[in-house]
Amino acid sequence: LHLCDRRQRQMCIRDRYERQIQQLNDKILSLRQQIEDLIIERIGDREHAQVYNNMITKREEEISAIEKRITDLREYDKICKQRKEQLKNTTQILDEILSEGTISDINLRMLVKRIFIHQNEDKSLDIRFEMNGEFNGTVSVFIEPTEELESA
C-alpha cells in the first residue's frame, strides 16, 4: 500500500509538472500572438511606434522568463526521476528484507555501509549507521547498559 501511494504521488507530481509546462507553453504562444498583433498595429500607427516597441519588449522579456521557468521545471523533474531511481533501489532492498521476515548477512551488508560504535565515559554506547540507500533524517536511541555489556 505504501509503495502504491508513493507511485500515485509521483504520478500526480509528474502530471502537475506536465500541466504547468503546457500552461506556460500556451502562455508563450499567446504572448507571441500579442507581439504579432502589436507589430501590425505599430505599422498602422507610426506616431506611437515607441509605445508599441516597449510593449513588444515587455512581452519578449516575459517569454524569456517563462522559458527559463520551463527549463527549471524540466531540470527539477529530471532530478526527481534520478532521486526516484535511488529510492527504488533502496525500496527493493527493504522489500526483500521485509518479505523474508529476518535480515540476512547479505541484506545487512547491502543496506548498511558502515557501523560506528563509540563507548562513552558512562559506559553507554553511541551507535551510528551509515546507510547505502537514501534515507532522510536520523534517529538516536539510548540503550541502557546491561549486565552482559558491563562485564565485557
Side-chain angles (χ1 to χ4, degrees):
L1 179 67
H2 180 67
L3 293 177
C4 291
D5 291 342
R6 182 180 296 156
R7 285 190 197 118
Q8 287 175 339
R9 199 170 45 244
Q10 289 169 347
M11 286 175 47
C12 288
I13 290 169
R14 188 185 72 230
D15 290 345
R16 188 176 65 217
Y17 282 125
E18 289 174 3
R19 276 193 314 273
Q20 285 179 345
I21 289 171
Q22 185 58 49
Q23 289 171 347
L24 292 170
N25 280 325
D26 292 346
K27 178 74 173 168
I28 288 173
L29 290 175
S30 172
L31 289 168
R32 287 191 174 138
Q33 182 62 49
Q34 290 176 21
I35 289 172
E36 285 181 32
D37 293 345
L38 289 168
I39 290 171
I40 292 170
E41 288 180 35
R42 181 180 62 186
I43 292 170
D45 188 5
R46 293 191 183 264
E47 292 178 17
H48 299 101
Q50 189 57 41
V51 172
Y52 289 108
N53 288 340
N54 291 341
M55 291 176 10
I56 290 169
T57 300
K58 181 180 176 185
R59 281 159 181 79
E60 288 171 342
E61 289 169 355
E62 194 173 343
I63 288 172
S64 293
I66 291 171
E67 287 172 339
K68 182 180 180 338
R69 174 81 173 127
I70 289 172
T71 301
D72 291 346
L73 284 171
R74 286 190 175 133
E75 182 64 25
Y76 187 73
D77 188 45
K78 182 176 134 186
I79 291 169
C80 287
K81 285 177 184 174
Q82 291 170 348
R83 176 94 170 116
K84 180 181 152 192
E85 271 305 308
Q86 291 171 342
L87 287 173
K88 185 173 142 186
N89 293 336
T90 303
T91 303
Q92 287 172 342
I93 294 170
L94 291 174
D95 283 345
E96 198 174 305
I97 291 167
L98 292 173
S99 69
E100 292 175 8
T102 59
I103 187 164
S104 67
D105 186 50
I106 293 170
N107 286 337
L108 183 62
R109 290 177 190 277
M110 288 174 46
L111 191 61
V112 178
K113 186 174 186 176
R114 284 188 245 173
I115 300 173
F116 299 95
I117 301 174
H118 173 76
Q119 185 173 7
N120 300 314
E121 290 179 16
D122 65 353
K123 302 270 185 193
S124 65
L125 297 176
D126 289 331
I127 302 173
R128 187 170 58 92
F129 294 89
E130 185 178 320
M131 308 303 275
N132 282 322
E134 294 292 321
F135 295 93
N136 293 331
T138 59
V139 176
S140 296
V141 178
F142 180 75
I143 301 173
E144 291 288 335
T146 63
E147 291 177 22
E148 187 177 296
L149 288 175
E150 289 174 353
S151 63

